[in-house]
Amino acid sequence: GTLNVGIPLAEMLGMWDLRCDWLERSTRVLSPGEYGEMDRLSSESLKQRTEAYDALIGYLQVKMEKTGLHLEPRLVPRLPAVILYRAQRGEALQELADRLTVRILCRSEVDCYAALCLVHALGKPVDPRFSQRFDDYIASPQPNGYRALHTALIYKGTNGEILVELRILTPAMQLLNSLGVVAALYQRPD
């Protein structure tokens, strides 16, 4: 079915939007109790995630004014089915529910690396010895064409510490990453 064939196929083809949609629908129907529990866990840390996101936006706005860099931060929603899916593959459940994920769109690849420097100044980057949190998929794209910079940091706010994962990329990379191999149909030749 969808969980055993469709979702792994969508992952392989880099069709992340389709994968998330199928995962959400399948889990909501096949595991309503677990889905509800993941939704409850995620809701408990909403205030902490909102505080961290607001601080990140404020910090980036100040830095953009100083540097002339144009960045578009976007909050990535916490989907209960994705939390459950990743927990079933060995990630810590509470960390998954509490984590804040932000996508930062940049005008160019060079701007992506400049944005990486800016966000690392916001909080302590997660130590790569203990985590596989930093990846440069711009310089070394995945086989399905996925491209982005991945990093994570610990943000310390008034409501405690929170893990903030960042995906830094251009709009063209976002299109490819969302639609996978199908994105080629949407790209017009020059």
Side-chain angles (χ1 to χ4, degrees):
T2 303
L3 288 175
N4 296 328
V5 177
I7 292 170
L9 181 61
E11 285 178 4
M12 183 179 69
L13 296 174
M15 301 171 78
W16 297 106
D17 286 357
L18 181 62
R19 170 203 175 261
C20 286
D21 182 54
W22 283 352
L23 189 57
E24 278 294 302
R25 290 171 188 248
S26 298
T27 306
R28 196 177 310 123
V29 171
L30 298 174
S31 305
E34 291 175 319
Y35 184 91
E37 179 63 16
M38 295 306 109
D39 194 33
R40 184 191 63 74
L41 275 174
S42 183
S43 295
E44 287 176 358
S45 64
L46 181 61
K47 184 177 179 182
Q48 188 179 18
R49 290 194 321 270
T50 301
E51 176 193 330
Y53 181 71
D54 291 344
L56 176 68
I57 296 300
Y59 170 79
L60 288 176
Q61 286 175 340
V62 169
K63 291 298 183 178
M64 286 188 301
E65 288 173 12
K66 287 182 180 180
T67 62
L69 195 62
H70 179 77
L71 307 174
E72 293 180 39
R74 297 181 181 175
L75 183 63
V76 176
R78 301 299 309 147
L79 302 174
V82 173
I83 295 170
L84 182 60
Y85 183 78
R86 291 177 74 172
Q88 291 170 343
R89 279 144 188 80
E91 292 189 52
L93 181 60
Q94 194 62 50
E95 181 185 302
L96 285 166
D98 293 345
R99 162 183 319 170
L100 171 68
T101 305
V102 178
R103 187 174 295 127
I104 299 177
L105 295 180
C106 306
R107 289 184 175 167
S108 69
E109 288 183 21
V110 171
D111 288 353
C112 290
Y113 291 101
L116 179 66
C117 292
L118 291 180
V119 298
H120 277 175
L122 180 64
K124 181 182 177 192
V126 175
D127 191 337
R129 291 179 299 156
F130 302 108
S131 173
Q132 300 299 319
R133 304 251 189 234
F134 178 78
D135 284 301
D136 185 347
Y137 294 119
I138 293 176
S140 300
Q142 291 184 346
N144 61 16
Y146 180 90
R147 297 180 72 209
L149 292 173
H150 288 204
T151 191
L153 54 92
I154 301 296
Y155 171 76
K156 293 181 183 177
T158 57
N159 291 312
E161 292 185 347
I162 186 170
L163 177 65
V164 181
E165 288 188 333
L166 297 126
R167 307 292 182 255
I168 304 170
L169 62 167
T170 66
M173 292 176 200
Q174 173 61 28
L175 178 65
L176 176 64
N177 297 350
S178 296
L179 300 176
V181 296
V182 176
L185 299 174
Y186 291 96
Q187 294 177 351
R188 294 186 176 99
D190 295 338

